[in-house]
């Protein structure tokens, strides 16, 4: 399964008021593994960012002045996401801007370019009703380090969201199950039978080293401590 964790930064909060995308960040997952095949663009929106949006991402007009326009990267972007399942936090916001950009270029709606979509904000609200479910709050909840996140950035937020999504969907953590069985009156009495010895196979030195290398790679990908180190701690 190919999944793309996607995030955008914009000049404002409503594309109907002429606001544009200034950054796109995409992180690829294949069979729930980070591949490193990410995609990232800064974009020149040909307009100023609103004060509130600028305070969020810090991407000034001067910084964006020499960056490509959306139409210069759209084909690479379309090919990258084609047929993938998208993972977005608060998907309606990003989709509204992407559909607006595609409409301005007389392209088919963005909705038709990907296979399906997962909104992690919807998932989080179902898992944690009544609680804060911003990306920062979810990082805190799942023990994902975001100390390096001073401002929002599309690629950085996509990397954090990838870790959050994997943590949210990793499934049952324990191999045991707590099951209460109430014996009905008149039930058949069963003899206690000794369980077989539990075999413990320790990892070899090479396997431990390979595991540490993998964790180091995940730490590097998230620019901090990955969720698996937090779980081990």
């Amino acid at each position: 399964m190919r999944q793309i964790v996607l995030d955008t930064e914009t000049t404002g909060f409503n594309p109907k008021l002429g606001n544009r995308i200034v950054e796109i960040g995409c992180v690829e997952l294949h069979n729930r593994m980070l591949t490193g095949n990410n995609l990232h663009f800064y974009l020149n929106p040909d307009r100023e960012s609103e004060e509130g949006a600028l305070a969020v991402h810090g991407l000034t007009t001067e910084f964006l002045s020499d960056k490509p326009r959306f139409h210069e990267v759209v084909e690479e972007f379309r090919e990258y996401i084609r047929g993938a399942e998208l993972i977005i936090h608060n998907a309606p916001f990003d989709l509204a801007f992407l559909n607006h950009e595609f409409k301005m270029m007389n392209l088919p709606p963005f909705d038709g370019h990907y296979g399906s979509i997962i909104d992690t904000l919807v998932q989080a609200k179902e898992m944690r009703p009544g609680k804060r479910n911003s990306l920062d709050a979810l990082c805190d909840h799942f023990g994902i380090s975001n100390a390096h996140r001073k401002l929002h950035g599309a690629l950085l937020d996509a990397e954090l969201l990838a870790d959050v999504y994997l943590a949210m969907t990793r499934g049952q953590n324990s191999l045991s199950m707590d099951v209460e069985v109430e014996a009905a009156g008149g039930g058949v009495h069963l003899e206690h039978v000794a369980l077989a010895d539990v075999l413990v196979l320790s990892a070899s030195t090479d396997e431990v080293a390979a595991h540490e290398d993998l964790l180091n790679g995940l730490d590097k990908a998230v620019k901090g401590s990955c969720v698996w180190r937090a779980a081990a701690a």
Side-chain angles (χ1 to χ4, degrees):
M1 180 192 301
R2 183 171 184 261
Q3 297 172 302
I4 302 297
V5 186
L6 183 148
D7 188 56
T8 64
E9 298 298 336
T10 62
T11 63
F13 306 105
N14 189 344
K16 293 181 180 179
L17 299 179
N19 286 301
R20 305 286 303 276
I21 294 173
V22 295
E23 185 183 7
I24 299 174
C26 299
V27 172
E28 184 183 62
L29 298 172
H30 189 264
N31 293 333
R32 295 180 55 80
M33 297 290 292
L34 293 164
T35 68
N37 178 30
N38 301 336
L39 189 71
H40 180 230
F41 300 114
Y42 288 117
L43 299 169
N44 184 346
D46 289 313
R47 60 157 292 163
E48 301 279 339
S49 286
E50 294 177 0
E51 185 176 348
L54 184 60
V56 170
H57 55 64
L59 300 175
T60 64
T61 301
E62 181 181 6
F63 173 79
L64 297 170
S65 62
D66 62 348
K67 303 302 184 286
R69 272 77 174 177
F70 188 84
H71 70 86
E72 297 177 70
V73 304
V74 67
E75 288 306 320
E76 183 179 357
F77 178 56
R78 291 172 74 188
E79 186 60 33
Y80 180 82
I81 64 166
R82 193 180 308 278
E85 180 175 65
L86 298 187
I87 300 169
I88 305 176
H89 199 68
N90 191 19
F93 178 87
D94 300 88
L95 294 180
F97 274 92
L98 288 164
N99 275 313
H100 178 67
E101 295 284 354
F102 275 55
K103 184 178 180 180
M104 289 179 64
M105 295 185 58
N106 295 317
L107 290 171
F110 177 74
D111 295 343
H113 289 77
Y114 55 86
S116 58
I117 192 163
I118 292 173
D119 189 335
T120 49
L121 180 58
V122 173
Q123 283 189 332
K125 286 180 177 180
E126 292 173 352
M127 293 175 63
R128 293 158 38 86
K131 297 185 178 181
R132 291 180 60 248
N133 288 300
S134 65
L135 182 56
D136 283 334
L138 292 174
C139 285
D140 289 342
H141 176 71
F142 290 109
I144 297 167
S145 175
N146 63 346
H148 52 296
R149 185 180 187 248
K150 306 304 180 186
L151 292 170
H152 286 246
L155 183 60
L156 172 59
D157 286 2
E159 290 171 340
L160 290 172
L161 183 57
D163 278 342
V164 165
Y165 170 74
L166 292 173
M168 287 174 62
T169 58
R170 64 187 169 204
Q172 186 175 316
N173 293 321
S174 174
L175 296 178
S176 63
M177 296 180 65
D178 295 327
V179 181
E180 294 184 5
V181 179
E182 184 177 343
V188 178
H189 176 74
L190 299 178
E191 270 189 53
H192 289 287
V193 179
L195 296 176
D197 292 336
V198 177
L199 299 179
V200 179
L201 298 178
S202 300
S204 68
T205 302
D206 288 344
E207 289 170 333
V208 171
H211 179 67
E212 185 63 24
D213 286 343
L214 177 61
L215 291 181
N216 289 338
L218 292 175
D219 287 346
K220 183 178 180 181
V222 301
K223 300 180 177 66
S225 180
C226 69
V227 66
W228 307 116
R229 288 201 190 278

